[in-house]
Protein backbone atom coordinates (compact mmCIF):
# COMPACT_ATOMS: atom_id res chain seq x y z
CA UNK A 1 0.00 0.00 0.00
CA UNK A 2 2.72 2.38 1.02
CA UNK A 3 4.31 2.01 -2.42
CA UNK A 4 1.33 3.82 -4.00
CA UNK A 5 1.72 6.92 -1.87
CA UNK A 6 3.58 10.00 -3.03
CA UNK A 7 7.06 10.69 -1.69
CA UNK A 8 5.81 13.75 0.23
CA UNK A 9 3.12 11.81 2.07
CA UNK A 10 5.57 8.99 2.58
CA UNK A 11 8.15 11.17 4.35
CA UNK A 12 5.39 12.67 6.52
CA UNK A 13 4.27 9.24 7.63
CA UNK A 14 7.85 8.22 8.28
CA UNK A 15 8.41 11.29 10.45
CA UNK A 16 5.36 10.47 12.56
CA UNK A 17 6.34 6.87 12.95
CA UNK A 18 9.92 7.86 13.79
CA UNK A 19 8.56 10.04 16.59
CA UNK A 20 6.30 7.26 17.76
CA UNK A 21 9.34 5.04 17.69
CA UNK A 22 11.01 7.24 20.33
CA UNK A 23 8.66 5.78 22.88
CA UNK A 24 10.26 2.42 22.29
CA UNK A 25 8.19 -0.75 22.29
CA UNK A 26 7.01 -2.69 19.32
CA UNK A 27 6.85 -0.14 16.54
CA UNK A 28 6.39 -1.50 13.03
CA UNK A 29 9.89 -2.22 11.84
CA UNK A 30 8.43 -2.56 8.35
CA UNK A 31 7.85 1.20 8.37
CA UNK A 32 11.55 1.91 8.41
CA UNK A 33 11.96 0.14 5.09
CA UNK A 34 9.16 2.21 3.56
CA UNK A 35 6.60 -0.59 3.50
CA UNK A 36 3.93 -0.60 6.18
CA UNK A 37 2.71 -4.11 5.40
CA UNK A 38 3.14 -6.18 8.55
CA UNK A 39 5.22 -9.31 8.13
CA UNK A 40 4.04 -12.20 10.27
CA UNK A 41 6.19 -15.31 10.63
CA UNK A 42 4.03 -18.31 11.52
CA UNK A 43 5.34 -21.73 12.47
CA UNK A 44 2.64 -24.39 12.19
CA UNK A 45 2.80 -27.80 13.91
CA UNK A 46 2.21 -29.81 10.73
CA UNK A 47 -0.78 -31.37 8.98
CA UNK A 48 -1.64 -34.15 11.43
CA UNK A 49 -5.41 -33.71 11.50
CA UNK A 50 -8.47 -32.18 9.87
CA UNK A 51 -8.38 -29.55 12.60
CA UNK A 52 -4.84 -28.56 11.66
CA UNK A 53 -5.66 -28.30 7.95
CA UNK A 54 -8.61 -26.03 8.75
CA UNK A 55 -6.43 -23.96 11.08
CA UNK A 56 -3.77 -23.48 8.39
CA UNK A 57 -6.44 -22.43 5.88
CA UNK A 58 -7.94 -19.96 8.36
CA UNK A 59 -4.54 -18.38 9.04
CA UNK A 60 -3.57 -18.14 5.36
CA UNK A 61 -6.93 -16.72 4.26
CA UNK A 62 -7.15 -14.21 7.10
CA UNK A 63 -3.59 -12.98 6.49
CA UNK A 64 -4.46 -12.31 2.84
CA UNK A 65 -7.72 -10.58 3.83
CA UNK A 66 -5.94 -8.43 6.43
CA UNK A 67 -3.16 -7.41 4.03
CA UNK A 68 -0.54 -9.10 6.19
CA UNK A 69 2.53 -10.62 4.58
CA UNK A 70 2.53 -14.17 5.97
CA UNK A 71 5.69 -16.23 6.10
CA UNK A 72 4.28 -19.70 6.73
CA UNK A 73 6.43 -22.60 7.83
CA UNK A 74 5.28 -26.21 8.38
CA UNK A 75 7.29 -27.99 11.11
CA UNK A 76 6.06 -31.48 10.19
CA UNK A 77 5.45 -32.27 13.84
CA UNK A 78 9.02 -31.58 14.97
CA UNK A 79 9.99 -29.09 17.65
CA UNK A 80 13.50 -28.63 16.22
CA UNK A 81 11.92 -27.51 12.92
CA UNK A 82 9.82 -24.96 14.80
CA UNK A 83 12.85 -23.64 16.65
CA UNK A 84 14.81 -23.18 13.42
CA UNK A 85 11.79 -21.58 11.71
CA UNK A 86 11.52 -19.07 14.57
CA UNK A 87 15.27 -18.38 14.40
CA UNK A 88 14.84 -17.80 10.65
CA UNK A 89 12.03 -15.31 11.31
CA UNK A 90 14.26 -13.46 13.78
CA UNK A 91 17.09 -13.29 11.21
CA UNK A 92 14.67 -12.02 8.56
CA UNK A 93 13.47 -9.35 10.99
CA UNK A 94 9.74 -10.08 10.70
CA UNK A 95 7.43 -7.72 12.62
CA UNK A 96 5.55 -10.39 14.60
CA UNK A 97 6.10 -14.10 15.23
CA UNK A 98 3.25 -16.51 15.94
CA UNK A 99 3.45 -20.24 16.42
CA UNK A 100 1.52 -23.25 17.61
CA UNK A 101 3.98 -25.08 19.86
CA UNK A 102 4.03 -28.81 19.17
CA UNK A 103 4.93 -29.53 22.82
CA UNK A 104 4.79 -27.32 25.91
CA UNK A 105 8.42 -27.43 27.07
CA UNK A 106 11.78 -26.31 25.70
CA UNK A 107 10.96 -22.86 24.33
CA UNK A 108 12.68 -20.48 26.75
CA UNK A 109 15.91 -20.00 24.78
CA UNK A 110 14.35 -19.24 21.39
CA UNK A 111 11.64 -17.06 22.95
CA UNK A 112 14.36 -15.09 24.72
CA UNK A 113 16.12 -14.63 21.36
CA UNK A 114 12.90 -13.18 19.90
CA UNK A 115 12.49 -10.90 22.90
CA UNK A 116 16.10 -9.70 22.62
CA UNK A 117 15.43 -8.91 18.94
CA UNK A 118 12.34 -6.93 20.02
CA UNK A 119 9.99 -9.13 18.00
CA UNK A 120 6.66 -9.78 19.74
CA UNK A 121 5.47 -13.40 19.90
CA UNK A 122 1.87 -14.61 19.89
CA UNK A 123 1.19 -18.19 21.01
CA UNK A 124 -1.52 -19.63 18.82
CA UNK A 125 -3.70 -22.62 19.77
CA UNK A 126 -1.24 -24.30 22.18
CA UNK A 127 0.48 -23.09 25.35
CA UNK A 128 4.10 -23.32 26.53
CA UNK A 129 5.26 -24.06 30.08
CA UNK A 130 7.74 -21.13 30.27
CA UNK A 131 7.68 -19.53 33.71
CA UNK A 132 8.60 -16.14 32.28
CA UNK A 133 5.35 -14.96 30.69
CA UNK A 134 7.05 -11.81 29.37
CA UNK A 135 8.54 -14.05 26.66
CA UNK A 136 5.27 -13.80 24.72
CA UNK A 137 2.55 -11.17 24.35
CA UNK A 138 -0.55 -13.31 24.43
CA UNK A 139 -1.96 -16.79 24.05
CA UNK A 140 -4.96 -17.26 21.78
CA UNK A 141 -6.83 -20.58 21.78
CA UNK A 142 -9.09 -22.99 23.60
CA UNK A 143 -9.29 -24.12 27.21
CA UNK A 144 -8.30 -27.77 26.75
CA UNK A 145 -8.89 -28.73 30.39
CA UNK A 146 -12.45 -27.49 29.99
CA UNK A 147 -12.83 -29.57 26.81
CA UNK A 148 -11.71 -32.72 28.64
CA UNK A 149 -14.08 -31.89 31.47
CA UNK A 150 -17.02 -31.53 29.06
CA UNK A 151 -16.20 -34.98 27.62
CA UNK A 152 -16.09 -36.50 31.12
CA UNK A 153 -19.26 -34.71 32.28
CA UNK A 154 -21.19 -36.18 29.36
CA UNK A 155 -20.04 -39.70 30.25
CA UNK A 156 -20.98 -39.26 33.91
CA UNK A 157 -24.50 -38.23 32.84
CA UNK A 158 -24.73 -41.07 30.33
CA UNK A 159 -24.19 -43.66 33.09
CA UNK A 160 -26.10 -41.79 35.80
CA UNK A 161 -27.71 -44.15 38.33
CA UNK A 162 -25.77 -47.18 37.06
CA UNK A 163 -23.09 -48.86 39.12
CA UNK A 164 -21.73 -51.58 36.84
CA UNK A 165 -18.06 -51.24 35.79
CA UNK A 166 -17.36 -48.95 32.83
CA UNK A 167 -14.12 -49.76 31.01
CA UNK A 168 -12.69 -46.77 29.21
CA UNK A 169 -9.83 -46.65 26.71
CA UNK A 170 -8.18 -43.34 25.89
CA UNK A 171 -6.38 -42.24 22.75
CA UNK A 172 -4.13 -39.37 23.75
CA UNK A 173 -2.91 -36.61 21.47
CA UNK A 174 0.75 -35.86 20.81
CA UNK A 175 2.82 -36.67 23.90
CA UNK A 176 3.81 -33.53 25.78
CA UNK A 177 1.43 -31.26 23.86
CA UNK A 178 -0.87 -28.91 25.76
CA UNK A 179 -4.10 -30.39 24.33
CA UNK A 180 -3.04 -33.96 25.20
CA UNK A 181 -2.00 -33.04 28.76
CA UNK A 182 -5.06 -30.91 29.44
CA UNK A 183 -7.72 -33.04 27.77
CA UNK A 184 -6.45 -36.01 29.76
CA UNK A 185 -6.55 -34.06 33.01
CA UNK A 186 -9.98 -32.45 32.48
CA UNK A 187 -11.53 -35.81 31.64
CA UNK A 188 -9.87 -37.67 34.55
CA UNK A 189 -11.02 -34.99 37.01
CA UNK A 190 -14.60 -35.07 35.71
CA UNK A 191 -14.98 -38.85 36.10
CA UNK A 192 -12.91 -39.19 39.32
CA UNK A 193 -15.89 -39.45 41.66
CA UNK A 194 -17.35 -42.38 39.69
CA UNK A 195 -15.50 -45.31 41.21
CA UNK A 196 -17.04 -47.77 38.72
CA UNK A 197 -15.32 -45.88 35.84
CA UNK A 198 -11.89 -47.21 34.99
CA UNK A 199 -9.45 -45.99 32.34
CA UNK A 200 -8.10 -49.42 31.41
CA UNK A 201 -5.78 -48.27 28.60
CA UNK A 202 -4.39 -44.87 27.69
CA UNK A 203 -1.89 -44.39 24.89
CA UNK A 204 -0.90 -41.76 22.35
CA UNK A 205 -2.20 -41.83 18.79
CA UNK A 206 -0.35 -38.56 18.00
CA UNK A 207 -3.61 -36.87 16.87
CA UNK A 208 -3.45 -38.92 13.65
CA UNK A 209 -6.09 -41.12 12.04
CA UNK A 210 -3.67 -43.92 11.09
CA UNK A 211 -2.22 -44.06 14.62
CA UNK A 212 -5.70 -44.01 16.14
CA UNK A 213 -6.49 -47.09 14.11
CA UNK A 214 -3.37 -49.08 14.99
CA UNK A 215 -3.49 -48.23 18.68
CA UNK A 216 -7.19 -49.12 18.86
CA UNK A 217 -6.38 -52.47 17.22
CA UNK A 218 -3.98 -53.25 20.07
CA UNK A 219 -6.54 -52.08 22.65
CA UNK A 220 -9.16 -54.41 21.14
CA UNK A 221 -6.76 -57.35 21.15
CA UNK A 222 -5.66 -56.90 24.76
CA UNK A 223 -8.96 -55.75 26.28
CA UNK A 224 -12.09 -57.65 25.27
CA UNK A 225 -14.64 -55.65 27.27
CA UNK A 226 -14.21 -52.03 26.22
CA UNK A 227 -17.30 -49.92 26.93
CA UNK A 228 -16.06 -46.45 26.02
CA UNK A 229 -13.42 -44.81 23.84
CA UNK A 230 -12.33 -41.27 24.65
CA UNK A 231 -10.18 -39.90 21.81
CA UNK A 232 -8.46 -36.53 22.16
CA UNK A 233 -9.45 -35.64 18.60
CA UNK A 234 -11.86 -36.66 15.83
CA UNK A 235 -9.18 -38.07 13.55
CA UNK A 236 -7.97 -40.65 16.08
CA UNK A 237 -11.60 -41.52 16.82
CA UNK A 238 -12.27 -42.02 13.10
CA UNK A 239 -9.22 -44.29 12.77
CA UNK A 240 -10.40 -46.23 15.82
CA UNK A 241 -13.85 -46.66 14.25
CA UNK A 242 -12.20 -48.52 11.37
CA UNK A 243 -10.46 -50.84 13.85
CA UNK A 244 -13.69 -51.40 15.81
CA UNK A 245 -15.66 -52.26 12.65
CA UNK A 246 -12.87 -54.58 11.46
CA UNK A 247 -13.14 -56.37 14.83
CA UNK A 248 -16.85 -56.98 14.14
CA UNK A 249 -18.15 -54.46 16.68
CA UNK A 250 -20.50 -51.54 16.21
CA UNK A 251 -18.96 -48.13 16.98
CA UNK A 252 -21.37 -45.89 18.90
CA UNK A 253 -23.36 -48.90 20.15
CA UNK A 254 -21.02 -51.68 21.35
CA UNK A 255 -18.42 -49.07 22.23
CA UNK A 256 -19.49 -45.51 23.03
CA UNK A 257 -17.17 -42.92 21.50
CA UNK A 258 -16.38 -39.38 22.64
CA UNK A 259 -14.03 -37.14 20.66
CA UNK A 260 -12.87 -33.52 20.52
CA UNK A 261 -12.74 -31.01 17.58
CA UNK A 262 -16.04 -31.36 15.63
CA UNK A 263 -14.53 -31.20 12.15
CA UNK A 264 -16.84 -32.22 9.29
CA UNK A 265 -15.71 -35.86 9.17
CA UNK A 266 -16.22 -36.19 12.91
CA UNK A 267 -19.63 -34.53 12.76
CA UNK A 268 -20.64 -36.87 9.90
CA UNK A 269 -19.73 -39.93 12.01
CA UNK A 270 -21.63 -38.39 14.95
CA UNK A 271 -24.75 -37.80 12.82
CA UNK A 272 -24.42 -41.40 11.54
CA UNK A 273 -24.41 -42.75 15.10
CA UNK A 274 -20.80 -43.98 15.05
CA UNK A 275 -19.65 -41.35 17.54
CA UNK A 276 -21.80 -40.48 20.58
CA UNK A 277 -20.60 -37.03 21.60
CA UNK A 278 -18.13 -34.40 20.35
CA UNK A 279 -16.64 -31.48 22.25
CA UNK A 280 -15.99 -28.63 19.85
CA UNK A 281 -12.55 -27.04 19.46
CA UNK A 282 -12.52 -24.28 16.87
CA UNK A 283 -9.56 -24.05 14.48
CA UNK A 284 -10.78 -20.75 13.02
CA UNK A 285 -8.22 -18.63 14.86
CA UNK A 286 -6.99 -16.69 11.79
CA UNK A 287 -9.09 -13.49 12.01
CA UNK A 288 -8.35 -12.97 15.73
CA UNK A 289 -4.67 -13.71 15.20
CA UNK A 290 -4.38 -11.07 12.44
CA UNK A 291 -6.19 -8.55 14.61
CA UNK A 292 -3.83 -9.21 17.52
CA UNK A 293 -0.76 -9.10 15.25
CA UNK A 294 -1.79 -5.64 14.02
CA UNK A 295 -2.41 -4.37 17.53
CA UNK A 296 0.80 -5.77 18.96
CA UNK A 297 2.75 -4.34 16.04
CA UNK A 298 1.22 -0.93 16.70
CA UNK A 299 2.35 -1.19 20.33
CA UNK A 300 -1.24 -1.37 21.61
CA UNK A 301 -2.12 -3.19 24.80
CA UNK A 302 -3.71 -6.60 24.23
CA UNK A 303 -5.15 -9.10 26.70
CA UNK A 304 -2.64 -11.77 27.73
CA UNK A 305 -5.20 -14.54 27.13
CA UNK A 306 -7.75 -14.71 24.31
CA UNK A 307 -10.12 -17.60 24.79
CA UNK A 308 -11.96 -19.35 21.95
CA UNK A 309 -15.69 -19.86 22.44
CA UNK A 310 -16.96 -23.35 21.71
CA UNK A 311 -19.79 -25.78 22.28
CA UNK A 312 -20.58 -29.52 22.33
CA UNK A 313 -22.62 -31.75 20.00
CA UNK A 314 -24.91 -34.72 20.51
CA UNK A 315 -25.91 -36.95 17.58
CA UNK A 316 -29.15 -34.99 17.07
CA UNK A 317 -27.37 -31.62 17.20
CA UNK A 318 -24.80 -32.87 14.67
CA UNK A 319 -27.55 -33.61 12.14
CA UNK A 320 -28.76 -30.00 12.36
CA UNK A 321 -25.29 -28.44 12.39
CA UNK A 322 -23.65 -30.54 9.67
CA UNK A 323 -24.91 -28.57 6.63
CA UNK A 324 -23.47 -25.33 8.10
CA UNK A 325 -20.13 -26.79 9.17
CA UNK A 326 -17.30 -24.74 7.67
CA UNK A 327 -14.43 -27.12 8.38
O1 LIG B 1 -7.50 -30.78 18.63
C1 LIG B 1 -5.99 -31.74 17.06
C2 LIG B 1 -4.78 -31.16 16.44
O2 LIG B 1 -3.89 -28.19 19.11
C3 LIG B 1 -6.22 -27.93 19.37
O3 LIG B 1 -4.21 -30.38 17.48
C4 LIG B 1 -5.13 -28.50 18.56
C5 LIG B 1 -5.21 -29.99 18.35
C6 LIG B 1 -6.50 -30.51 17.74
O4 LIG B 1 -3.99 -32.03 15.84
O5 LIG B 1 -6.87 -32.28 16.12
Amino acid sequence: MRRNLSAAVLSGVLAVSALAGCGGGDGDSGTASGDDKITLGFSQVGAESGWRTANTKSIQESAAAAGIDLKFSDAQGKQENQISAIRGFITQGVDVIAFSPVVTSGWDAVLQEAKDADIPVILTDRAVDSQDTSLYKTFIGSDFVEEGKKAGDWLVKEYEGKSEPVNIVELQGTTGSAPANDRQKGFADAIAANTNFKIVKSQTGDFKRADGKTVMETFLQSTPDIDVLYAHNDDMGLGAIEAIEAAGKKPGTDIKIITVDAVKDGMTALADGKINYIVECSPLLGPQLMDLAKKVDAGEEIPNRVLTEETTFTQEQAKTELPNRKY
Side-chain angles (χ1 to χ4, degrees):
M1 238 180 93
R2 179 67 52 78
R3 274 179 224 109
N4 300 330
L5 298 176
S6 74
V9 174
L10 177 61
S11 59
V13 174
L14 280 177
V16 171
S17 61
L19 276 175
C22 292
D26 307 311
D28 179 9
S29 55
T31 305
S33 63
D35 179 359
D36 70 352
K37 210 170 178 187
I38 295 172
T39 303
L40 171 67
F42 185 84
S43 169
Q44 180 61 290
V45 169
E48 73 281 3
S49 63
W51 191 100
R52 190 63 55 197
T53 309
N55 179 245
T56 292
K57 193 166 171 259
S58 169
I59 287 164
Q60 289 174 333
E61 287 177 359
S62 331
I68 286 179
D69 180 13
L70 177 70
K71 305 226 175 290
F72 184 89
S73 173
D74 178 338
Q76 300 184 326
K78 295 201 174 78
Q79 181 173 32
E80 65 259 36
N81 291 347
Q82 289 201 295
I83 291 174
S84 46
I86 294 168
R87 293 215 164 106
F89 295 147
I90 296 170
T91 312
Q92 290 168 55
V94 301
D95 299 309
V96 181
I97 292 172
F99 76 114
S100 181
V102 58
V103 290
T104 54
S105 61
W107 299 103
D108 292 17
V110 74
L111 288 177
Q112 187 62 52
E113 289 166 34
K115 192 180 174 188
D116 293 344
D118 227 355
I119 302 176
V121 172
I122 299 175
L123 299 179
T124 310
D125 149 44
R126 295 183 180 180
V128 297
D129 68 2
S130 303
Q131 296 301 307
D132 180 1
T133 54
S134 78
L135 293 176
Y136 53 90
K137 294 285 176 196
T138 186
F139 165 37
I140 166 181
S142 309
D143 181 339
F144 301 133
V145 177
E146 184 60 27
E147 290 173 351
K149 185 180 174 301
K150 285 177 184 167
D153 285 348
W154 178 82
L155 198 62
V156 168
K157 270 209 127 169
E158 185 70 6
Y159 285 95
E160 207 163 33
K162 295 182 183 155
S163 57
E164 70 261 30
V166 178
N167 287 338
I168 304 164
V169 295
E170 179 177 25
L171 281 168
Q172 300 174 24
T174 302
T175 305
S177 71
N181 295 344
D182 296 355
R183 287 174 187 166
Q184 181 170 29
K185 185 185 184 307
F187 181 80
D189 289 351
I191 65 165
N194 290 56
T195 46
N196 55 325
F197 284 21
K198 197 170 171 217
I199 300 175
V200 290
K201 288 270 149 63
S202 183
Q203 208 178 303
T204 184
D206 207 17
F207 282 130
K208 294 177 185 145
R209 204 177 283 215
D211 296 39
K213 184 179 178 198
T214 52
V215 177
M216 190 68 199
E217 279 165 3
T218 65
F219 286 170
L220 286 160
Q221 279 156 16
S222 63
T223 318
D225 49 352
I226 299 169
D227 300 302
V228 175
L229 162 67
Y230 167 44
H232 290 187
N233 78 345
D234 289 346
D235 282 83
M236 291 189 296
L238 292 163
I241 286 172
E242 292 176 35
I244 293 167
E245 286 176 336
K249 296 195 178 200
K250 223 174 156 210
T253 309
D254 296 334
I255 298 179
K256 290 189 204 294
I257 303 178
I258 314 163
T259 64
V260 185
D261 276 355
V263 295
K264 248 187 203 149
D265 286 357
M267 292 288 272
T268 305
L270 182 61
D272 289 349
K274 295 186 176 190
I275 294 178
N276 303 76
Y277 193 65
I278 302 186
V279 178
E280 184 186 43
C281 178
S282 176
L284 306 180
L285 304 177
Q288 271 176 313
L289 173 61
M290 299 312 144
D291 186 47
L292 290 165
K294 282 185 177 174
K295 287 189 171 142
V296 104
D297 181 68
E300 285 176 35
E301 282 299 314
I302 55 166
N304 56 17
R305 179 76 172 96
V306 179
L307 203 58
T308 314
E309 274 182 37
E310 40 218 4
T311 183
T312 56
F313 296 102
T314 61
Q315 293 174 338
E316 282 314 306
Q317 289 165 331
K319 285 178 197 157
T320 318
E321 172 65 13
L322 205 48
N324 317 318
R325 210 67 190 150
K326 290 196 180 62
Y327 53 89

